[in-house]
Amino acid sequence: MKKNLYFLLSLLVLASVILAACGTPATEAPAPATEAPATEVPATEAPVMGPAGTEPIAFPDGGKTVTGAWSQEPDNIVPYYSQMSYAVWIAQLTLVGLGEWDADGNFVPELAVDVPTADNGGVSADGLTITWQLKEGLYWSDGEPLTSADVKFTWESVMDPANAVLSRTGYDKIASVETPDDYTVVITFSELYPAWQTLFTQGPNNAGSILPKHILEGQTGLESNAFIHQPNVGSGPFVITEWVPGDYMTLLPNPNFYAGRAKLDQVQIKFVPDPETALAALQTGDVDWYPDFSESDIETVGALEPAVHLLVVPGASFEHYFFNMGTVEGVDGQGKSDVDGFCPFKDIKVRKAITLGINRQAFVDSLLAGKTSVPATQWPNSGWTNTSLQPDAYDPDGAAALLEEAGYTLGADGIRHGDCNGTDTKLSFNFETTTKQIRVDIALAVQSDLAKIGVEFKPIHTPAGTFFGSYADGANMPLGKFDMAGYTTGFYPDPFSDNFFCSQIPNAENGAGNNNYHLCDPALDELLTAVNASADPAVRKTALDAAQKYIYDNYYVVMAYARANVLGYVDRIEMGDMSDYSNRNWNAEAWNVK
């Protein structure tokens, strides 16, 4: 494949930057090694306006090129087979869905004409049937028509037990997909599924690209399929034409993209070892943007203006600390954990005291440059937030008083102790999180704060690959072998979460449960179940407000800070607006250079 001289020189300069740079990766988990050999995919013949004429995908000499830095290399690109954010971001460039989220967080059509609603006849009165109408004249990048048959095939592929997809959630609620014509998709659910907008649609926190039937039909074991790893035919604004593992990826415009040919002539993704290397490459101009700085990098990147611009977009994800509420007895026979959680945490006064005893706003201001906030609930920066709730202010005196009321008095060693279920117990416990530097820094701040109220907080930093392990892996969180833990999660774009349900507590009989809080509270189960009892967003909002208030009133979670998307980019690139729901790549066809 041809490359212009400028790009070759850029690669050489960037290689020298990588060799000179050092630092600890700030990613949640390392990218799995890519075993595929270095490949160069031939330019794909594809019609510009449809099957009538053909024009090869090619990079014009002197064309408009941008280069991004990726500190994780995707394992697979098709998102049904990868949970890596970096993989989903590539999928947004290459494989699109029926709808997506725009820069304002609104759900908008993509391959479809409109978003189905009750008013336009797309949502049935009982909420069980959703009808999508596709745009006419859709084509894959290789010139084959993209029709309703591809949507039906996508569902069949996901549900095929011979394909090891990561999740079938939601797709398994579909009773049938009918295609009365090439442009109409009628999806009938076996039961009410209010989160239907997350299916067959693309975004950073859901992944529902439409798959090409003409390429994958009749194949199984798709988790190992070459197309799943490197799709060279797509429906997005760009197509992967070259991928050299460990080095770079090249994407060229899809001449059949439904919204018209992208403004750029080429997008390069350069794989780098860590954000520090990406920052160095931004400073030298060898890359144009990096999408995944940490909040702790805000001041560093911001200090480089105007050569490097900083973009901080408030997010719906959040960093939180939580108590192990596990009990081997369970509640009314359900929600049993293999291990009992730390006894004092069963007392709401202790949980509230720890919340009041952490100066959360101080580390937001000092370590996060004041660019984010302390949220009150687990649904920050979204239309689902219960705005009547406000985060508790730092109050060490109030915290100490609560601990006294709970019967925990200061010992000679400065650590409080008291009776808990008949045993003299110190308020001394472990806190487990990853090795990410900002988590190390914040844990030290929390340790200092809690020591002032007589609580010994002992951080343990575990590599992300181990920390986020499964029950079968023997990881501490699902096994319940921790006192307190902390990490980032988010309940969006659909607000429903089953992470608090009794039935989701991992144990010997249910190792796949995702309730890492080990909290079984039937009243909370009931409140969260009501969130999904209607397809009406207004009814769901009322139900979710009640659930948020219940969690807030019971101090089940210590909200640390709302996460933010932190990006760095050089002045020559124009990328448009984004929201946390859309991510940077949602409108890549509009990207340009000055």
Side-chain angles (χ1 to χ4, degrees), residues 535-558:
D536 185 336
V539 174
R540 300 185 77 202
K541 175 65 166 64
T542 299
L544 187 62
D545 278 353
Q548 290 178 71
K549 187 174 188 308
Y550 189 85
I551 296 169
Y552 175 91
D553 288 343
N554 282 279
Y555 291 89
Y556 282 143
V557 176
V558 180

Side-chain angles (χ1 to χ4, degrees), residues 461-482:
H461 296 284
T462 304
T466 302
F467 178 76
F468 290 111
S470 67
Y471 188 95
D473 295 329
N476 285 345
M477 271 196 301
L479 288 175
K481 293 181 177 180
F482 71 97

Side-chain angles (χ1 to χ4, degrees), residues 70-146:
W70 247 233
S71 57
Q72 288 187 25
E73 185 167 0
D75 47 359
N76 287 312
I77 297 302
V78 174
Y80 299 109
Y81 298 91
S82 177
Q83 58 185 353
M84 291 176 63
S85 294
Y86 286 81
V88 174
W89 296 340
I90 294 290
Q92 284 185 291
L93 297 175
T94 57
L95 293 164
V96 298
L98 299 178
E100 65 178 344
W101 281 263
D102 67 12
D104 296 317
N106 299 312
F107 187 57
V108 296
E110 194 162 18
L111 295 175
V113 176
D114 291 304
V115 171
T117 66
D119 290 341
N120 64 24
V123 179
S124 63
D126 60 7
L128 294 177
T129 301
I130 308 297
T131 302
W132 288 91
Q133 201 71 28
L134 297 181
K135 293 179 171 71
E136 296 188 16
L138 296 175
Y139 296 92
W140 294 97
S141 61
D142 63 357
E144 288 293 321
L146 194 165

Side-chain angles (χ1 to χ4, degrees), residues 387-401:
T387 56
S388 70
L389 305 176
Q390 298 300 317
D392 289 288
Y394 177 51
D395 183 5
D397 291 338

Side-chain angles (χ1 to χ4, degrees), residues 428-466:
S428 174
F429 53 86
N430 294 329
F431 167 77
E432 188 170 0
T433 188
T434 72
T435 57
K436 194 172 186 178
Q437 188 59 49
I438 192 169
R439 291 192 170 123
V440 174
D441 296 339
I442 290 178
L444 288 173
V446 173
Q447 184 180 50
S448 176
D449 285 342
L450 293 181
K452 297 171 185 175
I453 62 171
V455 173
E456 186 176 33
F457 176 89
K458 299 180 292 185
I460 298 172
H461 296 284
T462 304
T466 302

Side-chain angles (χ1 to χ4, degrees), residues 86 275-276 278-279 282 290-298 301 308 310 563-569:
Y86 286 81
E276 290 82 5
L279 182 59
L282 277 170
Y290 177 69
D292 195 29
F293 285 113
S294 170
E295 290 92 342
S296 59
D297 297 318
I298 288 173
V301 179
V308 176
L310 169 70
R563 293 295 302 269
N565 298 280
V566 183
L567 302 91
Y569 64 101

Side-chain angles (χ1 to χ4, degrees), residues 147-313:
T147 71
S148 59
D150 292 300
V151 181
K152 182 175 182 178
F153 169 77
T154 299
W155 172 62
E156 292 172 340
S157 173
V158 170
M159 292 305 301
D160 188 341
N163 297 325
V165 296
L166 292 179
S167 174
R168 295 184 171 88
T169 298
Y171 295 97
D172 59 357
K173 305 298 184 187
I174 295 174
S176 66
V177 176
E178 299 174 9
T179 55
D181 57 55
D182 284 349
Y183 309 110
T184 306
V185 181
V186 181
I187 302 170
T188 302
F189 289 86
S190 57
E191 60 186 75
L192 191 67
Y193 190 70
W196 59 265
Q197 290 182 335
T198 63
L199 306 180
F200 307 104
T201 57
Q202 185 64 281
N205 208 38
N206 71 293
S209 307
I210 304 304
L211 302 180
K213 178 180 179 180
H214 70 285
I215 291 177
L216 297 175
E217 187 177 24
Q219 302 184 50
T220 56
L222 293 185
E223 65 278 2
S224 302
N225 190 284
F227 182 89
I228 300 302
H229 173 70
Q230 183 176 332
N232 58 356
V233 172
S235 56
F238 294 94
V239 180
I240 300 171
T241 57
E242 186 180 26
W243 183 351
V244 179
D247 197 351
Y248 65 90
M249 177 188 291
T250 302
L251 301 97
L252 299 181
N254 171 10
N256 287 328
F257 183 53
Y258 74 89
R261 187 188 185 280
K263 292 180 180 180
L264 293 175
D265 296 308
Q266 183 173 247
V267 173
Q268 292 282 343
I269 303 297
K270 180 64 185 177
F271 302 120
V272 300
D274 49 53
E276 290 82 5
T277 304
L279 182 59
L282 277 170
Q283 291 177 269
T284 58
D286 290 293
V287 301
D288 297 300
W289 93 99
Y290 177 69
D292 195 29
F293 285 113
S294 170
E295 290 92 342
S296 59
D297 297 318
I298 288 173
E299 288 188 350
T300 301
V301 179
L304 300 177
E305 292 279 2
V308 176
H309 298 312
L310 169 70
L311 177 64
V312 181
V313 179

